[in-house]
Each structure stands twice: as C-alpha cells, then as structure tokens.
Amino acid sequence: MKTRSTQQLVPHTVDGKTRMVPINVDAPAPPRDWDHIVLNGVTTIAAVVLTASVVWSTASIGDLLARAVIEPAAYGAAVVFDLAWIACMAVEWLARYDEDRAALPRKAGNVALLVAMLAIGAHGKVSGFWEVGIVGALVSGLAKGLWTVVLRHQTPPLDERTRAWIRAELADAGASLSLIPVRRKVQRAQAQVDAERIALGAGSDRGSANPDRSGDSADDSDAEILQLHPNAPTTKDAVRIAWDSGIRDDAEAARYVAKVTGKAPSPDTVARYMRLLRNGVAS
C-alpha cells in the first residue's frame, strides 16, 4: 500500500499544560482521481486550442483590416473579434446556475463567433484562398464548441425549484446591495439639512444674545457658570457635518465650524479631524 507523509495534531503536555502539536505520520495515500486528471487534461487542451484560435483569427482578420488601415490599429481591432465571444462565454459560465440569465450571453457569444468566422472567411476570399478562409473560420468554431462542452460538463444540473430558490436568494442579496448607495444618498442629504438647520439656529441664538450682559447681577451665583447648550454641535460634530456636506478643504471646514459653533476653532484640531475622516478612521 502506498503511503504519504502528513501532519496530525496530537495532545502534548508540558509542565501540566496541554497543547495540540503537529507531528509527521505516514498515512495511506488516496487512490488517483482519474476523473479529475482527465478533466484537467481536457481543460488544458481547450486552453491550447483557444490560444491557437485567437492567434489565427487575429493574424487573419488583422491582415484583412491592414489593407485599409495601419497595422497596429488593424491587429488591435482584429483581436476584439475573438475576445468578444470569449468574454460572453465567461459570463455564460458565471451565470451557469441561472439558465435565464445565461441565455443572453450565450446568444451574444454565438453572434460574436459568427461575425469572427465571417471575417476570417472574407480574408480567405480576398487573399484568393477561399479554402483557407473556410478552414480558418472552423478553427474559431471548434474552439468555441470545445469550451462549450467543457463548461457544460462542469455545470451542475439543477431542477426548476432549485433554480427558483437561487433566483430568490440572488434577488434578496441584490436588493440589500442596491440599498447601500441609496442610504448613502439619504444620509448625505440629511447631513446637509442638519447642517443648514444648525447654522440657522446658531445664527438666531447669536442674534438674540445679550453681549454686554447688563441685566446680569454681580451677586448672581450663576454669573461665573458657563451656560450649556446641549443642542449646539461640538467641533468634531461640525467637522463631520462639513465633511458629509462635501467640504474637503481644511480652511473651508474651519470657517464652517466657526459659523456653526459660534467660535473660532483651533486650525490644528480641525485639520486633525479632517485627516482622520480622509483616512476613514474617524468615528
């Protein structure tokens, strides 16, 4: 029996403390998975055929287009013909669990392949070798057909109820994902509304203030106590509102904070809060 060295966790106690430590042990080697080996071989062959198809079609279509434009532009456009149906085939593979969504990239891929084959055939006709054009066009068709077989083999068969369940799950996930930009837009708009409301409220309070405090009594026990305004924003809150409103300049943010809070903030403090917001670490 073939064996292979592998690691296994075993308990080991030192000074009364037990830990799981790895040790090397010889374990029976599993039998070869020939199905997987064959699938890897077929996938490698399909990749080689696809590469050859892209090279051939690019050279053929590029030579055809080079009769009218410069070669770099001609060959750059020629590679698009194969890349189009290859990209459609990749999207079809990504949608393999939803037959309805996979139908569109499959049809688009077939159309792109047909266009590429016609272009290769046209090159053969223009060059005077129509047989070469037909055979060259079949190279792209064989590459597409081989990859279709490989991808179909790896696509798990699903019944209609399972497909419906998957579509419902994707719909729920898509709904949650679509709400992210909506919430951001609502929060941005709400921040602007709050900033405007606070600014107007702060201006009203300053207009009604009594700066000379002539009505205060010298014997008033509360004369030296700083009056608290629970609704007034802090410098940090004002910087956050300015940031949510789209202000990114430190000096402009400082002017906004002074307008909202009614006092000139420390430029260093405003710059520090703005730097934290730029780095995404402010709470």
Side-chain angles (χ1 to χ4, degrees), residues 86-233:
I86 292 173
C88 291
M89 188 172 59
V91 176
E92 179 186 351
W93 164 253
L94 294 176
R96 62 190 179 277
Y97 298 115
D98 190 343
E99 187 64 25
D100 294 336
R101 296 183 64 192
L104 178 59
R106 183 182 304 117
K107 293 177 182 178
N110 292 334
V111 173
L113 174 64
L114 179 60
V115 172
M117 294 176 67
L118 290 176
I120 296 173
H123 173 258
K125 182 179 180 180
V126 171
S127 301
F129 301 97
W130 61 269
E131 301 90 344
V132 176
I134 294 176
V135 174
L138 290 177
V139 173
S140 295
L142 290 173
K144 174 71 162 61
L146 181 57
W147 268 107
T148 300
V149 171
V150 173
L151 297 182
R152 285 282 180 163
H153 174 76
Q154 299 190 52
T155 301
L158 301 175
D159 59 87
E160 186 57 34
R161 290 187 177 183
T162 303
R163 291 196 185 98
W165 185 87
I166 292 176
R167 286 195 294 269
E169 286 289 302
L170 291 174
D172 291 343
S176 300
L177 187 62
S178 65
L179 287 177
I180 295 177
V182 174
R183 291 195 182 100
R184 288 176 179 173
K185 187 175 181 179
V186 171
Q187 291 174 356
R188 190 179 301 110
Q190 187 61 46
Q192 293 176 349
V193 172
D194 293 342
E196 185 71 15
R197 183 182 297 115
I198 292 174
L200 294 176
S204 175
D205 293 341
R206 290 195 299 271
S208 61
N210 185 11
D212 58 2
R213 300 181 60 85
S214 58
D216 294 342
S217 172
D219 298 332
D220 189 356
S221 61
D222 294 336
E224 301 300 326
I225 298 178
L226 179 64
Q227 298 298 319
L228 298 179
H229 301 279
N231 294 328

